[in-house]
Amino acid sequence: TFALVAMIYIPTATLTRTYNSDVQAAVVPALAIARTGLPFLDPVSIPENPFLIDTGEAVVSNRPFGISLLAVPAYVLAGAPAEVWPSAVSAALATAAAVAMLHVALRRVVDARSAIAATAVFAFGTPTWTVSANGLWGHTVTQLAIAGALLAASRARWWWVGVALGAGIWGRPHLAVIALVVGLGIAWSQRSVRTLLAVGVPTTVGLGSFVLVNRWLYERWTLS
């Protein structure tokens, strides 16, 4: 599933340039990290973008930090070119992984034909293809995290549910709401404090570390 979907996603992604300021604001910190190890941007060379802000100490992106981190390995492997394609390939591969995990999870709860049909609709009949797999959006990280959590939940691996959602918080902090609902719901249905802790501890770590990184980047305590 992963290979088939990736072969469709990669050539249809935005590989040459992007006019979307949201995606651009996630791409430039990834490139900066690949080149310098830090997400701080050179004020002379940064593009005009409302999502790139000057804190007084440095220029940074206000996109959640986890979105940029997703593309750092591709930029490192590619030699950190000042191009958008490493981030687009990263988005396509991450979204293909989300589709594959969804398929595996669905196979555990419905018949094979229904799992394939539902996976195909998710992969090609929704903005998963046109947004998440097209460029470095917050949706890319979010869908990957939720699909990972769903796969773990289908196998009753509650610790990994928490790890997946905790990592997803770095792409969109309001995934903490999903973690809260899932953790409380499953713990209540199982009457298990252990399950609550298994989901809650990793997601709390993810949320707390997200706030700490924001404090480092923006010099203030914030979830936004």
Side-chain angles (χ1 to χ4, degrees), residues 36-52:
T36 68
L38 295 171
F40 303 114
L41 310 176
D42 181 0
V44 176
S45 60
I46 62 169
E48 289 189 17
N49 188 310
F51 298 123
L52 301 178

Side-chain angles (χ1 to χ4, degrees), residues 158-159 182-183 186-187 190 192-200:
W158 306 116
W159 170 261
V182 171
I186 297 300
Q190 296 183 350
S192 172
V193 175
R194 184 175 182 178
T195 300
L196 179 63
L197 293 175
V199 177

Side-chain angles (χ1 to χ4, degrees), residues 15-110:
L15 298 173
T16 56
R17 52 187 170 178
T18 178
Y19 295 104
N20 187 283
S21 56
D22 200 327
V23 173
Q24 185 185 59
V27 169
V28 288
L31 178 59
I33 295 169
R35 288 180 171 178
T36 68
L38 295 171
F40 303 114
L41 310 176
D42 181 0
V44 176
S45 60
I46 62 169
E48 289 189 17
N49 188 310
F51 298 123
L52 301 178
I53 56 176
D54 191 342
T55 66
E57 298 292 332
V59 177
V60 294
S61 171
N62 77 346
R63 300 296 83 194
F65 193 55
I67 306 174
S68 299
L69 287 181
L70 183 67
V72 171
Y75 274 106
V76 171
L77 290 173
E83 300 175 11
V84 73
W85 69 262
S87 67
V89 171
S90 298
L93 292 175
T95 308
V99 171
M101 288 190 290
L102 175 67
H103 183 215
V104 174
L106 288 172
R107 286 290 301 270
R108 299 182 64 86
V109 295
V110 297

